[in-house]
PDB file of all heavy atoms in Angstrom:
ATOM      1  N   ILE R 452      -2.749   1.858  -4.642  1.00  0.00           N
ATOM      2  CA  ILE R 452      -2.948   1.427  -3.250  1.00  0.00           C
ATOM      3  C   ILE R 452      -4.339   1.818  -2.777  1.00  0.00           C
ATOM      4  O   ILE R 452      -5.057   1.026  -2.173  1.00  0.00           O
ATOM      5  CB  ILE R 452      -1.862   2.021  -2.341  1.00  0.00           C
ATOM      6  CG1 ILE R 452      -0.499   1.396  -2.673  1.00  0.00           C
ATOM      7  CG2 ILE R 452      -2.199   1.801  -0.870  1.00  0.00           C
ATOM      8  CD1 ILE R 452       0.659   1.985  -1.905  1.00  0.00           C
ATOM      9  N   ASP R 453      -4.744   3.064  -3.047  1.00  0.00           N
ATOM     10  CA  ASP R 453      -6.097   3.510  -2.659  1.00  0.00           C
ATOM     11  C   ASP R 453      -7.164   2.623  -3.293  1.00  0.00           C
ATOM     12  O   ASP R 453      -8.157   2.260  -2.657  1.00  0.00           O
ATOM     13  CB  ASP R 453      -6.314   4.968  -3.068  1.00  0.00           C
ATOM     14  CG  ASP R 453      -5.746   5.941  -2.035  1.00  0.00           C
ATOM     15  OD1 ASP R 453      -5.784   5.611  -0.840  1.00  0.00           O
ATOM     16  OD2 ASP R 453      -5.275   7.007  -2.427  1.00  0.00           O
ATOM     17  N   ASN R 454      -6.968   2.289  -4.564  1.00  0.00           N
ATOM     18  CA  ASN R 454      -7.965   1.466  -5.269  1.00  0.00           C
ATOM     19  C   ASN R 454      -8.031   0.042  -4.709  1.00  0.00           C
ATOM     20  O   ASN R 454      -9.075  -0.621  -4.804  1.00  0.00           O
ATOM     21  CB  ASN R 454      -7.633   1.408  -6.768  1.00  0.00           C
ATOM     22  CG  ASN R 454      -7.815   2.752  -7.453  1.00  0.00           C
ATOM     23  OD1 ASN R 454      -8.561   3.610  -6.951  1.00  0.00           O
ATOM     24  ND2 ASN R 454      -7.145   2.967  -8.565  1.00  0.00           N
ATOM     25  N   ALA R 455      -6.927  -0.419  -4.115  1.00  0.00           N
ATOM     26  CA  ALA R 455      -6.876  -1.805  -3.626  1.00  0.00           C
ATOM     27  C   ALA R 455      -7.415  -1.958  -2.209  1.00  0.00           C
ATOM     28  O   ALA R 455      -7.657  -3.066  -1.756  1.00  0.00           O
ATOM     29  CB  ALA R 455      -5.447  -2.333  -3.686  1.00  0.00           C
ATOM     30  N   ILE R 456      -7.600  -0.844  -1.504  1.00  0.00           N
ATOM     31  CA  ILE R 456      -8.074  -0.917  -0.108  1.00  0.00           C
ATOM     32  C   ILE R 456      -9.565  -1.215  -0.097  1.00  0.00           C
ATOM     33  O   ILE R 456     -10.367  -0.509  -0.711  1.00  0.00           O
ATOM     34  CB  ILE R 456      -7.777   0.398   0.640  1.00  0.00           C
ATOM     35  CG1 ILE R 456      -6.260   0.578   0.785  1.00  0.00           C
ATOM     36  CG2 ILE R 456      -8.454   0.390   2.009  1.00  0.00           C
ATOM     37  CD1 ILE R 456      -5.856   1.912   1.373  1.00  0.00           C
ATOM     38  N   LYS R 457      -9.951  -2.270   0.604  1.00  0.00           N
ATOM     39  CA  LYS R 457     -11.353  -2.673   0.723  1.00  0.00           C
ATOM     40  C   LYS R 457     -11.674  -2.953   2.192  1.00  0.00           C
ATOM     41  O   LYS R 457     -11.023  -3.789   2.832  1.00  0.00           O
ATOM     42  CB  LYS R 457     -11.634  -3.955  -0.088  1.00  0.00           C
ATOM     43  CG  LYS R 457     -11.251  -3.864  -1.565  1.00  0.00           C
ATOM     44  CD  LYS R 457     -12.114  -2.863  -2.320  1.00  0.00           C
ATOM     45  CE  LYS R 457     -11.740  -2.848  -3.817  1.00  0.00           C
ATOM     46  NZ  LYS R 457     -12.484  -1.805  -4.556  1.00  0.00           N
ATOM     47  N   ASN R 458     -12.646  -2.222   2.710  1.00  0.00           N
ATOM     48  CA  ASN R 458     -13.127  -2.450   4.083  1.00  0.00           C
ATOM     49  C   ASN R 458     -11.999  -2.420   5.109  1.00  0.00           C
ATOM     50  O   ASN R 458     -11.920  -3.260   6.012  1.00  0.00           O
ATOM     51  CB  ASN R 458     -13.868  -3.793   4.185  1.00  0.00           C
ATOM     52  CG  ASN R 458     -15.081  -3.850   3.282  1.00  0.00           C
ATOM     53  OD1 ASN R 458     -15.802  -2.863   3.126  1.00  0.00           O
ATOM     54  ND2 ASN R 458     -15.315  -5.007   2.673  1.00  0.00           N
ATOM     55  N   GLY R 459     -11.124  -1.433   4.956  1.00  0.00           N
ATOM     56  CA  GLY R 459     -10.045  -1.276   5.924  1.00  0.00           C
ATOM     57  C   GLY R 459      -8.921  -2.281   5.793  1.00  0.00           C
ATOM     58  O   GLY R 459      -8.076  -2.377   6.680  1.00  0.00           O
ATOM     59  N   GLN R 460      -8.894  -3.055   4.722  1.00  0.00           N
ATOM     60  CA  GLN R 460      -7.847  -4.046   4.515  1.00  0.00           C
ATOM     61  C   GLN R 460      -7.226  -3.880   3.125  1.00  0.00           C
ATOM     62  O   GLN R 460      -7.919  -3.533   2.167  1.00  0.00           O
ATOM     63  CB  GLN R 460      -8.409  -5.470   4.646  1.00  0.00           C
ATOM     64  CG  GLN R 460      -8.787  -5.873   6.056  1.00  0.00           C
ATOM     65  CD  GLN R 460      -7.572  -6.070   6.946  1.00  0.00           C
ATOM     66  OE1 GLN R 460      -6.533  -6.523   6.480  1.00  0.00           O
ATOM     67  NE2 GLN R 460      -7.694  -5.725   8.209  1.00  0.00           N
ATOM     68  N   LEU R 461      -5.922  -4.140   3.054  1.00  0.00           N
ATOM     69  CA  LEU R 461      -5.210  -4.087   1.788  1.00  0.00           C
ATOM     70  C   LEU R 461      -4.467  -5.404   1.603  1.00  0.00           C
ATOM     71  O   LEU R 461      -3.695  -5.815   2.471  1.00  0.00           O
ATOM     72  CB  LEU R 461      -4.224  -2.914   1.773  1.00  0.00           C
ATOM     73  CG  LEU R 461      -3.223  -2.897   0.609  1.00  0.00           C
ATOM     74  CD1 LEU R 461      -3.949  -2.718  -0.722  1.00  0.00           C
ATOM     75  CD2 LEU R 461      -2.182  -1.815   0.800  1.00  0.00           C
ATOM     76  N   THR R 462      -4.726  -6.062   0.473  1.00  0.00           N
ATOM     77  CA  THR R 462      -4.001  -7.284   0.131  1.00  0.00           C
ATOM     78  C   THR R 462      -2.920  -6.944  -0.886  1.00  0.00           C
ATOM     79  O   THR R 462      -3.209  -6.406  -1.957  1.00  0.00           O
ATOM     80  CB  THR R 462      -4.954  -8.338  -0.463  1.00  0.00           C
ATOM     81  OG1 THR R 462      -5.977  -8.628   0.488  1.00  0.00           O
ATOM     82  CG2 THR R 462      -4.194  -9.620  -0.785  1.00  0.00           C
ATOM     83  N   CYS R 463      -1.663  -7.220  -0.532  1.00  0.00           N
ATOM     84  CA  CYS R 463      -0.558  -6.910  -1.439  1.00  0.00           C
ATOM     85  C   CYS R 463      -0.736  -7.677  -2.750  1.00  0.00           C
ATOM     86  O   CYS R 463      -0.867  -8.909  -2.741  1.00  0.00           O
ATOM     87  CB  CYS R 463       0.783  -7.271  -0.802  1.00  0.00           C
ATOM     88  SG  CYS R 463       2.184  -7.017  -1.908  1.00  0.00           S
ATOM     89  N   PRO R 464      -0.737  -6.984  -3.909  1.00  0.00           N
ATOM     90  CA  PRO R 464      -0.911  -7.662  -5.202  1.00  0.00           C
ATOM     91  C   PRO R 464       0.220  -8.631  -5.533  1.00  0.00           C
ATOM     92  O   PRO R 464       0.051  -9.507  -6.367  1.00  0.00           O
ATOM     93  CB  PRO R 464      -0.959  -6.494  -6.205  1.00  0.00           C
ATOM     94  CG  PRO R 464      -1.357  -5.307  -5.398  1.00  0.00           C
ATOM     95  CD  PRO R 464      -0.727  -5.515  -4.061  1.00  0.00           C
ATOM     96  N   ARG R 465       1.363  -8.467  -4.878  1.00  0.00           N
ATOM     97  CA  ARG R 465       2.509  -9.323  -5.188  1.00  0.00           C
ATOM     98  C   ARG R 465       2.524 -10.584  -4.310  1.00  0.00           C
ATOM     99  O   ARG R 465       2.530 -11.699  -4.786  1.00  0.00           O
ATOM    100  CB  ARG R 465       3.808  -8.553  -4.996  1.00  0.00           C
ATOM    101  CG  ARG R 465       4.144  -7.620  -6.160  1.00  0.00           C
ATOM    102  CD  ARG R 465       4.682  -8.417  -7.356  1.00  0.00           C
ATOM    103  NE  ARG R 465       4.994  -7.548  -8.474  1.00  0.00           N
ATOM    104  CZ  ARG R 465       6.160  -6.934  -8.630  1.00  0.00           C
ATOM    105  NH1 ARG R 465       7.103  -7.076  -7.721  1.00  0.00           N
ATOM    106  NH2 ARG R 465       6.381  -6.159  -9.683  1.00  0.00           N
ATOM    107  N   CYS R 466       2.565 -10.389  -2.959  1.00  0.00           N
ATOM    108  CA  CYS R 466       2.737 -11.527  -2.048  1.00  0.00           C
ATOM    109  C   CYS R 466       1.467 -11.886  -1.296  1.00  0.00           C
ATOM    110  O   CYS R 466       1.449 -12.838  -0.518  1.00  0.00           O
ATOM    111  CB  CYS R 466       3.852 -11.235  -1.047  1.00  0.00           C
ATOM    112  SG  CYS R 466       3.462  -9.890   0.098  1.00  0.00           S
ATOM    113  N   HIS R 467       0.386 -11.087  -1.501  1.00  0.00           N
ATOM    114  CA  HIS R 467      -0.919 -11.325  -0.884  1.00  0.00           C
ATOM    115  C   HIS R 467      -0.912 -11.181   0.629  1.00  0.00           C
ATOM    116  O   HIS R 467      -1.794 -11.710   1.304  1.00  0.00           O
ATOM    117  CB  HIS R 467      -1.451 -12.715  -1.265  1.00  0.00           C
ATOM    118  CG  HIS R 467      -1.515 -12.938  -2.755  1.00  0.00           C
ATOM    119  ND1 HIS R 467      -2.374 -12.238  -3.575  1.00  0.00           N
ATOM    120  CD2 HIS R 467      -0.789 -13.770  -3.554  1.00  0.00           C
ATOM    121  CE1 HIS R 467      -2.196 -12.644  -4.838  1.00  0.00           C
ATOM    122  NE2 HIS R 467      -1.231 -13.555  -4.857  1.00  0.00           N
ATOM    123  N   ALA R 468       0.094 -10.490   1.178  1.00  0.00           N
ATOM    124  CA  ALA R 468       0.088 -10.217   2.619  1.00  0.00           C
ATOM    125  C   ALA R 468      -1.046  -9.248   2.941  1.00  0.00           C
ATOM    126  O   ALA R 468      -1.386  -8.370   2.146  1.00  0.00           O
ATOM    127  CB  ALA R 468       1.425  -9.627   3.048  1.00  0.00           C
ATOM    128  N   GLN R 469      -1.635  -9.406   4.134  1.00  0.00           N
ATOM    129  CA  GLN R 469      -2.746  -8.574   4.564  1.00  0.00           C
ATOM    130  C   GLN R 469      -2.232  -7.410   5.411  1.00  0.00           C
ATOM    131  O   GLN R 469      -1.434  -7.610   6.329  1.00  0.00           O
ATOM    132  CB  GLN R 469      -3.737  -9.411   5.386  1.00  0.00           C
ATOM    133  CG  GLN R 469      -4.419 -10.523   4.606  1.00  0.00           C
ATOM    134  CD  GLN R 469      -5.431  -9.987   3.608  1.00  0.00           C
ATOM    135  OE1 GLN R 469      -6.104  -8.978   3.859  1.00  0.00           O
ATOM    136  NE2 GLN R 469      -5.546 -10.638   2.468  1.00  0.00           N
ATOM    137  N   HIS R 470      -2.711  -6.190   5.098  1.00  0.00           N
ATOM    138  CA  HIS R 470      -2.327  -5.000   5.852  1.00  0.00           C
ATOM    139  C   HIS R 470      -3.582  -4.201   6.198  1.00  0.00           C
ATOM    140  O   HIS R 470      -4.458  -4.019   5.349  1.00  0.00           O
ATOM    141  CB  HIS R 470      -1.371  -4.114   5.050  1.00  0.00           C
ATOM    142  CG  HIS R 470      -0.187  -4.844   4.499  1.00  0.00           C
ATOM    143  ND1 HIS R 470       0.804  -5.358   5.305  1.00  0.00           N
ATOM    144  CD2 HIS R 470       0.144  -5.172   3.207  1.00  0.00           C
ATOM    145  CE1 HIS R 470       1.716  -5.943   4.543  1.00  0.00           C
ATOM    146  NE2 HIS R 470       1.341  -5.854   3.270  1.00  0.00           N
ATOM    147  N   ALA R 471      -3.673  -3.742   7.442  1.00  0.00           N
ATOM    148  CA  ALA R 471      -4.782  -2.866   7.832  1.00  0.00           C
ATOM    149  C   ALA R 471      -4.517  -1.471   7.278  1.00  0.00           C
ATOM    150  O   ALA R 471      -3.434  -0.917   7.448  1.00  0.00           O
ATOM    151  CB  ALA R 471      -4.912  -2.823   9.347  1.00  0.00           C
ATOM    152  N   ALA R 472      -5.496  -0.895   6.587  1.00  0.00           N
ATOM    153  CA  ALA R 472      -5.292   0.419   5.976  1.00  0.00           C
ATOM    154  C   ALA R 472      -6.622   1.052   5.611  1.00  0.00           C
ATOM    155  O   ALA R 472      -7.594   0.361   5.301  1.00  0.00           O
ATOM    156  CB  ALA R 472      -4.417   0.295   4.728  1.00  0.00           C
ATOM    157  N   THR R 473      -6.647   2.375   5.694  1.00  0.00           N
ATOM    158  CA  THR R 473      -7.809   3.138   5.229  1.00  0.00           C
ATOM    159  C   THR R 473      -7.449   4.092   4.099  1.00  0.00           C
ATOM    160  O   THR R 473      -8.337   4.578   3.397  1.00  0.00           O
ATOM    161  CB  THR R 473      -8.409   3.948   6.393  1.00  0.00           C
ATOM    162  OG1 THR R 473      -7.387   4.787   6.951  1.00  0.00           O
ATOM    163  CG2 THR R 473      -8.937   3.009   7.485  1.00  0.00           C
ATOM    164  N   ALA R 474      -6.156   4.375   3.916  1.00  0.00           N
ATOM    165  CA  ALA R 474      -5.722   5.288   2.852  1.00  0.00           C
ATOM    166  C   ALA R 474      -4.255   5.011   2.530  1.00  0.00           C
ATOM    167  O   ALA R 474      -3.487   4.532   3.381  1.00  0.00           O
ATOM    168  CB  ALA R 474      -5.904   6.745   3.269  1.00  0.00           C
ATOM    169  N   ALA R 475      -3.869   5.329   1.312  1.00  0.00           N
ATOM    170  CA  ALA R 475      -2.487   5.102   0.885  1.00  0.00           C
ATOM    171  C   ALA R 475      -1.505   5.935   1.694  1.00  0.00           C
ATOM    172  O   ALA R 475      -0.347   5.553   1.860  1.00  0.00           O
ATOM    173  CB  ALA R 475      -2.347   5.430  -0.606  1.00  0.00           C
ATOM    174  N   THR R 476      -1.979   7.067   2.236  1.00  0.00           N
ATOM    175  CA  THR R 476      -1.087   7.950   2.996  1.00  0.00           C
ATOM    176  C   THR R 476      -0.569   7.313   4.272  1.00  0.00           C
ATOM    177  O   THR R 476       0.342   7.850   4.896  1.00  0.00           O
ATOM    178  CB  THR R 476      -1.809   9.258   3.333  1.00  0.00           C
ATOM    179  OG1 THR R 476      -3.057   8.952   3.974  1.00  0.00           O
ATOM    180  CG2 THR R 476      -2.073  10.073   2.077  1.00  0.00           C
ATOM    181  N   GLN R 477      -1.134   6.173   4.667  1.00  0.00           N
ATOM    182  CA  GLN R 477      -0.639   5.486   5.855  1.00  0.00           C
ATOM    183  C   GLN R 477       0.701   4.803   5.598  1.00  0.00           C
ATOM    184  O   GLN R 477       1.400   4.443   6.542  1.00  0.00           O
ATOM    185  CB  GLN R 477      -1.651   4.431   6.328  1.00  0.00           C
ATOM    186  CG  GLN R 477      -2.935   5.028   6.893  1.00  0.00           C
ATOM    187  CD  GLN R 477      -3.906   3.946   7.311  1.00  0.00           C
ATOM    188  OE1 GLN R 477      -5.077   4.006   6.998  1.00  0.00           O
ATOM    189  NE2 GLN R 477      -3.443   2.946   8.015  1.00  0.00           N
ATOM    190  N   PHE R 478       1.042   4.609   4.321  1.00  0.00           N
ATOM    191  CA  PHE R 478       2.272   3.904   3.992  1.00  0.00           C
ATOM    192  C   PHE R 478       3.362   4.901   3.587  1.00  0.00           C
ATOM    193  O   PHE R 478       3.081   5.942   2.962  1.00  0.00           O
ATOM    194  CB  PHE R 478       2.016   2.908   2.860  1.00  0.00           C
ATOM    195  CG  PHE R 478       0.964   1.898   3.209  1.00  0.00           C
ATOM    196  CD1 PHE R 478      -0.296   1.949   2.623  1.00  0.00           C
ATOM    197  CD2 PHE R 478       1.220   0.920   4.153  1.00  0.00           C
ATOM    198  CE1 PHE R 478      -1.267   1.027   2.949  1.00  0.00           C
ATOM    199  CE2 PHE R 478       0.258  -0.010   4.489  1.00  0.00           C
ATOM    200  CZ  PHE R 478      -0.992   0.048   3.893  1.00  0.00           C
ATOM    201  N   SER R 479       4.588   4.561   3.942  1.00  0.00           N
ATOM    202  CA  SER R 479       5.707   5.492   3.742  1.00  0.00           C
ATOM    203  C   SER R 479       6.019   5.676   2.255  1.00  0.00           C
ATOM    204  O   SER R 479       5.914   4.739   1.453  1.00  0.00           O
ATOM    205  CB  SER R 479       6.956   4.964   4.452  1.00  0.00           C
ATOM    206  OG  SER R 479       6.713   4.821   5.817  1.00  0.00           O
ATOM    207  N   ILE R 480       6.413   6.909   1.912  1.00  0.00           N
ATOM    208  CA  ILE R 480       6.854   7.215   0.552  1.00  0.00           C
ATOM    209  C   ILE R 480       8.238   6.612   0.338  1.00  0.00           C
ATOM    210  O   ILE R 480       9.104   6.677   1.219  1.00  0.00           O
ATOM    211  CB  ILE R 480       6.889   8.734   0.327  1.00  0.00           C
ATOM    212  CG1 ILE R 480       5.465   9.312   0.421  1.00  0.00           C
ATOM    213  CG2 ILE R 480       7.507   9.076  -1.022  1.00  0.00           C
ATOM    214  CD1 ILE R 480       5.434  10.816   0.456  1.00  0.00           C
ATOM    215  N   ASN R 481       8.445   6.003  -0.807  1.00  0.00           N
ATOM    216  CA  ASN R 481       9.742   5.412  -1.139  1.00  0.00           C
ATOM    217  C   ASN R 481      10.630   6.523  -1.712  1.00  0.00           C
ATOM    218  O   ASN R 481      10.698   6.749  -2.923  1.00  0.00           O
ATOM    219  CB  ASN R 481       9.561   4.283  -2.161  1.00  0.00           C
ATOM    220  CG  ASN R 481      10.830   3.473  -2.329  1.00  0.00           C
ATOM    221  OD1 ASN R 481      11.932   3.996  -2.188  1.00  0.00           O
ATOM    222  ND2 ASN R 481      10.657   2.192  -2.647  1.00  0.00           N
ATOM    223  N   TYR R 482      11.301   7.227  -0.789  1.00  0.00           N
ATOM    224  CA  TYR R 482      12.130   8.357  -1.220  1.00  0.00           C
ATOM    225  C   TYR R 482      13.336   7.899  -2.035  1.00  0.00           C
ATOM    226  O   TYR R 482      13.821   8.616  -2.904  1.00  0.00           O
ATOM    227  CB  TYR R 482      12.592   9.161   0.001  1.00  0.00           C
ATOM    228  CG  TYR R 482      11.444   9.772   0.758  1.00  0.00           C
ATOM    229  CD1 TYR R 482      11.103   9.312   2.018  1.00  0.00           C
ATOM    230  CD2 TYR R 482      10.684  10.805   0.203  1.00  0.00           C
ATOM    231  CE1 TYR R 482      10.048   9.858   2.722  1.00  0.00           C
ATOM    232  CE2 TYR R 482       9.626  11.354   0.896  1.00  0.00           C
ATOM    233  CZ  TYR R 482       9.299  10.877   2.153  1.00  0.00           C
ATOM    234  OH  TYR R 482       8.260  11.426   2.848  1.00  0.00           O
ATOM    235  N   GLY R 483      13.819   6.697  -1.738  1.00  0.00           N
ATOM    236  CA  GLY R 483      14.927   6.174  -2.541  1.00  0.00           C
ATOM    237  C   GLY R 483      14.523   5.981  -3.986  1.00  0.00           C
ATOM    238  O   GLY R 483      15.290   6.276  -4.910  1.00  0.00           O
ATOM    239  N   MET R 484      13.299   5.497  -4.213  1.00  0.00           N
ATOM    240  CA  MET R 484      12.789   5.324  -5.568  1.00  0.00           C
ATOM    241  C   MET R 484      12.669   6.678  -6.257  1.00  0.00           C
ATOM    242  O   MET R 484      13.026   6.832  -7.440  1.00  0.00           O
ATOM    243  CB  MET R 484      11.432   4.620  -5.510  1.00  0.00           C
ATOM    244  CG  MET R 484      10.762   4.435  -6.871  1.00  0.00           C
ATOM    245  SD  MET R 484      11.666   3.256  -7.890  1.00  0.00           S
ATOM    246  CE  MET R 484      11.212   1.724  -7.062  1.00  0.00           C
ATOM    247  N   GLU R 485      12.155   7.679  -5.541  1.00  0.00           N
ATOM    248  CA  GLU R 485      12.011   9.006  -6.145  1.00  0.00           C
ATOM    249  C   GLU R 485      13.376   9.602  -6.506  1.00  0.00           C
ATOM    250  O   GLU R 485      13.526  10.247  -7.554  1.00  0.00           O
ATOM    251  CB  GLU R 485      11.253   9.928  -5.192  1.00  0.00           C
ATOM    252  CG  GLU R 485       9.785   9.534  -5.025  1.00  0.00           C
ATOM    253  CD  GLU R 485       8.970  10.585  -4.311  1.00  0.00           C
ATOM    254  OE1 GLU R 485       9.544  11.339  -3.499  1.00  0.00           O
ATOM    255  OE2 GLU R 485       7.761  10.673  -4.560  1.00  0.00           O
ATOM    256  N   ALA R 486      14.350   9.359  -5.619  1.00  0.00           N
ATOM    257  CA  ALA R 486      15.692   9.867  -5.924  1.00  0.00           C
ATOM    258  C   ALA R 486      16.257   9.197  -7.175  1.00  0.00           C
ATOM    259  O   ALA R 486      16.890   9.843  -8.024  1.00  0.00           O
ATOM    260  CB  ALA R 486      16.616   9.630  -4.726  1.00  0.00           C
ATOM    261  N   LEU R 487      15.995   7.886  -7.297  1.00  0.00           N
ATOM    262  CA  LEU R 487      16.457   7.164  -8.481  1.00  0.00           C
ATOM    263  C   LEU R 487      15.788   7.711  -9.742  1.00  0.00           C
ATOM    264  O   LEU R 487      16.441   7.897 -10.787  1.00  0.00           O
ATOM    265  CB  LEU R 487      16.157   5.674  -8.325  1.00  0.00           C
ATOM    266  CG  LEU R 487      16.460   4.796  -9.540  1.00  0.00           C
ATOM    267  CD1 LEU R 487      17.936   4.828  -9.874  1.00  0.00           C
ATOM    268  CD2 LEU R 487      15.986   3.358  -9.302  1.00  0.00           C
TER     269      LEU R 487
END
């Protein structure tokens, strides 16, 4: 996620949706995935 952020924008590699972001820490941790 950090590597994909460019100029305050993140394009989802899957669906290409645009998200405003400056760091990966802005997005929630998938605790369900970690539990799995």
Side-chain angles (χ1 to χ4, degrees):
I452 292 176
D453 277 326
N454 292 338
I456 294 174
K457 305 294 183 185
N458 299 322
Q460 289 290 326
L461 169 65
T462 301
C463 176
R465 281 284 179 87
C466 66
H467 305 293
Q469 295 289 325
H470 308 292
T473 56
T476 53
Q477 291 179 227
F478 301 108
S479 301
I480 295 170
N481 191 329
Y482 297 111
M484 177 68 74
E485 291 191 332
L487 174 62

